[in-house]
Amino acid sequence: MHTEALSAILGRPVVYHHRTHDAHRAVLLATGASAMVANLLRGLDRLFREGILAETTTTVAALTGRAARSAVDWLRENAALFQPSGAAAAR
């Protein structure tokens, strides 16, 4: 996680709290998700983490004609979208 960079860009603290799979399931269940939904979401998390998001592809460049950007670069370019509406209008 790039929490330091995100905090600097947004001008407020950004904190990431890692959860184990079991802890994540417990939170989902505690917030009203059924066991089936909790298990499905955990499976999707794992699929993305270990599969789809684990590989680097040229898809973005092929579709847009531009190189992919990092999440931090994208956030720098779009930081105003994450500010309170009055703050964005004041800039």
Side-chain angles (χ1 to χ4, degrees):
M1 281 272 122
H2 301 288
T3 57
E4 296 85 13
L6 298 178
S7 296
I9 292 166
L10 296 175
R12 61 182 183 268
V14 174
V15 180
Y16 172 77
H17 298 281
H18 176 77
R19 292 185 193 134
T20 66
H21 293 295
D22 291 337
H24 187 58
R25 184 176 189 276
V27 168
L28 291 169
L29 293 172
T31 57
S34 68
M36 183 197 72
V37 169
N39 292 335
L40 174 69
L41 291 173
R42 281 184 31 193
L44 287 172
D45 287 344
R46 184 176 181 183
L47 174 69
F48 284 114
R49 185 181 60 257
E50 296 175 7
I52 296 168
L53 297 180
E55 64 182 81
T56 302
T57 69
T58 59
T59 303
V60 169
L63 292 174
T64 66
R66 298 183 317 185
R69 297 173 283 180
S70 70
V72 171
D73 287 341
W74 183 89
L75 187 57
R76 275 191 192 104
E77 295 172 19
N78 294 279
L81 298 173
F82 297 91
Q83 300 300 331
S85 57
R91 290 181 183 185

